[in-house]
Amino acid sequence: MASPLSADRLLAALRAEGVNVIEYGNWRSHNRNHKGAFGPVNGVMIHHTVSSGTDSSVRLCYDGYSELPGPLCHGVIAKNGAVYLTSSGRANHAGKGDSDVLRAVVAERALPATTDNDTDGNSHFYGFECINLGDGDDPWPEAQLDAIERVGAAICRAYGWSAASVIGHKEWTNTKIDPRGFSMGDMRARIERRLGGKPQPKPDGGSSGTSYTVKAGDTLSAVGRAHGVPWKEIAAANGIGAPYTIKPGQRLTLPGTSGPRFEPFPGADWFKNAPHSPIVTAMGRRLVEVGCSAYGSGPGPQWTTADRESFRQWQMHLGDDPEYCDGWPGRRQWDALKVPKV
Ligand SMILES: [Zn+2]
């Protein structure tokens, strides 16, 4: 699915990944959507601000300036790792870049050198500005690098992308040098390692990812949608019956957001090697359960074209863009199927 995440889903994805998120101003409705499209979105772009000081940097990224109105990004990543959300819509961060790079990001393959600036990046990328002077001397504290890693992983996980979908501004266009001071290749390796595991909240506070405090106006179904958990499961886990009302301040346990109940995504390549595994059987049984079956017999442990066709039906069922409905499982699609642990 390449539509932008709702503000709630973006926030939930970041929190589940252990990001220390701060909602800034009217970030949910602060955007440049009146100036052009936001979406289909295909990746995440990392920048540096060429500034110092958290408060003034965040304000600048939110407001912009006369020649470049804000928001200038979706979030600002401070040196201490805090992430200030400034927009959930179109933002002025990427400018024009190379359509060959966009194609490589969509296909999740190695990036070509940039030559042309022919494509509007603001419609295709989430943008995160990291507070750094960009002079090559200003340090990148580990807390800040850790936050970049978690932000990248959170959005990739939400879409089922690999770390190849996270690029630096300087990889988008030959007119920019940011981010300067760390390697985007190393950062992608960190993100890919993180994506291999389940979302890991930080041990020292932040959101636990398994509980939620009800805010005014929340409903069970809205909380469920924001966290990717069926609302009936939340009701059952918290002993809530009809008429299913919840109150501000109430603490809810969110089932299925942690723990080993479901089989983790085995990776896109795994399926293409025609695996023979009980995971394939478990997946097939789930596909049959949700009414996406092209099986003449089985399902069984050997990956076959019937598995691929059944999974394609699931992708269609999720409402994904046809270009993502090729029967090869992606991470988000796999997680949505909830294949029981084998
Ligand atoms: Zn930039």
Side-chain angles (χ1 to χ4, degrees), residues 51-326:
S51 70
S52 62
T54 302
D55 291 350
S56 56
S57 299
V58 174
R59 199 174 320 125
L60 175 68
C61 287
Y62 187 85
D63 291 338
Y65 44 95
S66 55
E67 301 87 60
L68 192 63
L72 304 185
C73 57
H74 296 94
V76 181
I77 303 180
K79 280 207 152 41
N80 68 358
V83 177
Y84 295 77
L85 290 179
T86 49
S87 181
S88 66
R90 181 181 170 93
N92 257 337
H93 69 96
K96 296 263 190 211
D98 197 319
S99 57
D100 292 331
V101 173
L102 180 61
R103 271 190 288 278
V105 168
V106 170
E108 302 197 313
R109 47 182 165 71
L111 299 171
T114 53
T115 50
D116 303 314
N117 293 297
D118 55 6
T119 299
D120 168 29
N122 294 330
S123 65
H124 292 287
F125 289 91
Y126 286 96
F128 286 84
E129 287 278 0
C130 307
I131 298 176
N132 190 280
L133 291 170
D135 58 5
D137 292 327
D138 194 9
W140 291 83
E142 175 51 32
Q144 192 176 27
L145 294 172
D146 178 74
I148 300 169
E149 174 190 326
R150 287 173 191 267
V151 164
I155 295 176
C156 287
R157 206 188 291 279
Y159 283 99
W161 296 336
S162 81
S165 296
V166 183
I167 68 172
H169 199 184
K170 64 185 172 192
E171 295 172 307
W172 172 238
T173 166
N174 53 16
T175 66
K176 296 290 177 180
I177 62 155
D178 62 321
R180 184 170 175 213
F182 69 93
S183 148
M184 278 307 299
D186 290 350
M187 181 51 68
R188 279 189 285 270
R190 287 177 65 153
I191 293 169
E192 198 56 41
R193 275 197 299 278
R194 174 171 292 280
L195 286 171
K198 295 207 168 276
Q200 287 298 331
K202 282 187 183 176
D204 56 345
S207 162
S208 74
T210 56
S211 66
Y212 175 81
T213 304
V214 177
K215 297 195 297 287
D218 276 345
T219 61
L220 266 185
S221 59
V223 173
R225 263 198 312 281
H227 294 86
V229 182
W231 69 266
K232 285 187 176 170
E233 289 187 18
I234 301 177
N238 293 276
I240 301 169
Y244 302 108
T245 46
I246 51 178
K247 295 192 191 79
Q250 185 176 353
R251 195 97 175 136
L252 296 175
T253 299
L254 300 180
T257 52
S258 69
R261 289 174 61 200
F262 302 115
E263 197 58 50
F265 182 55
D269 292 343
W270 188 78
F271 298 96
K272 298 193 174 171
N273 292 321
H276 185 95
S277 163
I279 297 173
V280 177
T281 313
M283 178 202 75
R285 288 192 183 131
R286 271 299 290 155
L287 288 169
V288 171
E289 273 174 26
V290 297
C292 298
S293 172
Y295 296 103
S297 62
Q302 179 59 53
W303 175 270
T304 67
T305 53
D307 291 295
R308 186 173 169 190
E309 173 55 24
S310 302
F311 204 91
R312 193 190 67 80
Q313 291 179 16
W314 171 242
Q315 291 167 326
M316 301 290 289
H317 174 84
L318 289 173
D320 283 0
D321 288 349
E323 62 177 306
Y324 297 99
C325 300
D326 59 4

